[in-house]
């Protein structure tokens, strides 16, 4: 299952039934879980002094699509799924079934919960904290420097079940509450309360998420999205979603 | 013309005089037209169940630049030209002489007309419909989900000869009329009438396109752009452009 | 130091102690300075008629990270450092110690000064002029076409020590003055005076940079940033930074 043109370090630790694609490079400080498939043209365990000797750990049953680069020093839970050309730098930890879209760029030193979905081309600054079941859409940037350039890094926090729509910027240190929605093309300069919609540049409170109706011909509420959207989540996870999840994380 | 380090499936169908670059992978369900040149590090005909067995078809006289990924199930007309690192997913159809810039990402299930130009780093959501002679500039996103995440997909429509300037988002289901111009850094939340300029976040009507003068020392109108801009179009196509094209497509 | 899977033209001129990574392609019209390290999957000296026969010149002690593409016809000073997947087209010149982040895309015909830092995923249009010690942050676009599409190209100018924060667009022909700061998610449609902060869409004067305090517990001013930030600059360069640099470049 290792393509003859791939270059796999003899020190790399590969689980059972791992597949490595053509021309892919696997460096030495790497642990890859069982049944993981890594496509072509990837660089896995890119060495960096900022990894401080920590390995790259990829959980079982993962799929890394072509042209991706994962640095040493990060850890991903089982069923990690990427698009193409993702880059993840050192010391990021992600939970179960993280899905990371094509061209996304995680700068390192980030923590990401379980069942998080980042769509294509997101940019996650260092020190970002992302909860569980979060959605982040294309061209969103989570920033960290309040007066660039400086050595002051204030990471953003995105609460459980929150969604940040396309082309929005979250300013340094801002917290987006659990279940909140950030509208497209917004600059979020203040905290967003849980279960509210914020939007604009600079962002303002628009309404509670409960006011948004699903545009599917029914008049059902669109949020919490767990009431109608389940694609890609395991059956045991969505089993509890017949009613809105409660209580939410109160970390934000 | 096939580099010895390339990997070309014996089932792939290659026309006359096709060139395949170093380290490029051509999968089995692929038809490549005559005289097409594919650069290095590409993955052509990336397999996916969402292609439902359809082939990737690349028209004659095309040029695919390095590090690009084209999925099975899409069809491109003759003289398809890409920048580097483009990604096109399943079931996209594009007409003649589509030019797709570096880093652009087409999510699949899109229809694109003839002589369309996408500049670098555009993101085209599923279900988008793009007319003929359209221009889309860097970091533009065509969205589709009115309340993310959901299973409701409302694709955008971009009319013939329209131009969408850099860093603009077109919201789900919005129609940009033929000959219209969307200004840079706009969030387009309502339809844009043909031959008008819209801009801002949220976008508003600014003026008719006929009011914009060309900044070349003359006082000529800048729109329709076919009155002064012809670079890259074939002679037989621009032959009719001495006067503004009329009648326009009235699809929008 | 040349990986056996790399393809290096015998006409390419390599200095002493140059390292070329796996699967990297070095074309013929290339000069690489001493001690430079080029990673895997790169394409160096990509041929183009727009280079008009000029070579790609990479200064000594440079580091080009994986999957990068540098066209023929551009020149980079010593200690050029890139992230992954950068693209630089023809006839760009950059001074000493240019740092160019992952996914960045320079369209060619640009001039870039000494000690400039572009973060990830910036898009620099043709004809842009960037001074010395400039910072440009992710998803910033420097534009050039006042009425797209057209053949009129009005490049932007970014003055010495200026910083342009994330997701901002600088419109064609606009000058950002020395020491100025453009806030995140701005559309800069008019010139920005030196040592001022501009922001919004469209951008307006917000305050002088001297009003911004450093959020590090002190009450020091955050600008000029050279008063507190020195990471990554050589000792001889920062030796003069104990007091704010004076006089600034008066080119803008």
């Amino acid at each position: 299952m290792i393509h003859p043109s791939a270059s796999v370090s003899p020190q790399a630790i590969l689980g059972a039934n791992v597949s490595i694609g053509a021309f892919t490079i696997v460096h030495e400080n790497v642990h890859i879980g069982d049944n993981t498939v890594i496509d072509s043209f990837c660089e896995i365990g890119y060495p960096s002094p900022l990894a401080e000797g920590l390995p790259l750990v990829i959980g079982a049953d993962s799929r890394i699509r072509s042209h991706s680069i994962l640095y040493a020093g990060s850890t991903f839970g089982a069923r990690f799924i990427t698009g193409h050309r993702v880059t993840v730098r050192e010391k990021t930890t992600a939970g179960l079934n993280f899905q990371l879209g094509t061209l996304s760029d995680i700068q390192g030193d980030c923590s990401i919960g379980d069942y998080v979905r980042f769509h294509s081309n997101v940019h996650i600054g260092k020190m970002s904290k992302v909860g569980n079941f979060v959605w982040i859409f294309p061209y969103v940037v989570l920033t960290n420097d309040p007066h660039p350039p400086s050595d002051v890094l204030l990471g953003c926090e995105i609460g459980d079940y929150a969604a940040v729509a396309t082309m929005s910027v979250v300013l340094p240190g801002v917290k987006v509450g659990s279940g909140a929605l950030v509208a497209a093309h917004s600059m979020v300069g203040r905290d967003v309360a849980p279960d509210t919609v914020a939007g604009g540049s600079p962002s303002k409170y628009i309404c509670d998420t409960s006011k948004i109706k699903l545009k599917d011909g029914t008049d059902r509420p669109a949020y919490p999205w767990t009431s109608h959207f389940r694609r890609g989540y395991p059956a045991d996870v969505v089993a509890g979603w017949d009613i809105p999840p409660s209580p939410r994380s109160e970390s934000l």
Side-chain angles (χ1 to χ4, degrees), chain A:
Chain A
M1 309 283 281
I2 296 181
H3 193 279
S5 64
S7 168
V8 179
S9 166
Q11 276 85 49
I13 301 172
L14 273 59
N17 196 32
V18 165
S19 172
I20 307 288
F23 310 116
T24 280
I25 300 168
V26 180
H27 293 276
E28 62 184 4
N29 201 4
V30 170
H31 302 195
I32 302 178
D34 296 349
N35 309 312
T36 286
V37 175
I38 298 181
D39 276 3
S40 303
F41 304 112
C42 292
E43 193 154 9
I44 303 298
Y46 189 88
S48 164
L50 297 179
E52 296 184 324
L54 291 169
L56 168 68
V57 179
I58 300 174
D61 303 305
S62 294
R63 172 74 183 271
I64 311 299
R65 286 201 173 77
S66 68
H67 296 80
S68 290
I69 301 167
L70 304 177
Y71 274 57
S74 286
T75 297
F76 301 93
R79 284 171 285 153
F80 176 42
I81 310 288
T82 81
H84 304 277
R85 318 176 211 289
V86 307
T87 311
V88 185
R89 294 196 52 177
E90 312 86 352
K91 293 190 173 173
T92 287
T93 61
L96 291 172
N97 192 215
F98 177 35
Q99 297 189 3
L100 179 61
T102 289
L103 288 168
S104 291
D105 181 4
I106 299 179
Q107 292 283 299
D109 291 309
C110 296
S111 74
I112 296 165
D114 290 334
Y115 299 105
V116 168
R117 277 83 172 98
F118 289 175
H119 208 288
S120 293
N121 213 329
V122 304
H123 181 93
I124 308 297
K126 284 191 180 194
M127 313 300 289
S128 299
K129 294 183 182 177
V130 175
N132 303 300
F133 296 98
V134 166
W135 282 84
I136 299 189
F137 290 90
Y139 297 77
V140 165
V141 176
L142 304 187
T143 66
N144 55 29
D145 186 345
H147 29 43
S150 81
D151 288 315
V152 178
L153 293 184
L154 304 174
C156 302
E157 295 186 28
I158 312 294
D160 296 349
Y161 301 93
V164 183
T166 190
M167 203 78 83
S168 291
V169 172
V170 183
L171 290 190
V174 167
K175 298 180 184 187
V176 175
S178 63
L181 172 65
V182 172
H185 214 270
S186 300
M187 188 199 68
V188 187
R190 60 175 79 172
D191 291 357
V192 179
D195 299 311
T196 66
V197 183
S201 182
S203 68
K204 296 175 184 168
Y205 167 83
I206 294 177
C207 64
D208 287 0
T209 56
S210 59
K211 300 292 186 188
I212 300 178
K213 301 300 184 188
L214 204 56
K215 297 186 177 178
D216 66 348
T218 72
D219 206 32
R220 292 183 293 166
Y223 297 90
W225 55 263
T226 49
S227 64
H228 60 86
F229 185 83
R230 291 146 194 238
R231 180 156 37 91
Y233 298 99
D236 62 319
V237 165
V238 302
W241 288 4
D242 286 319
I243 52 170
S246 174
R248 288 273 174 67
S249 161
E250 296 303 328
S251 65
L252 288 177

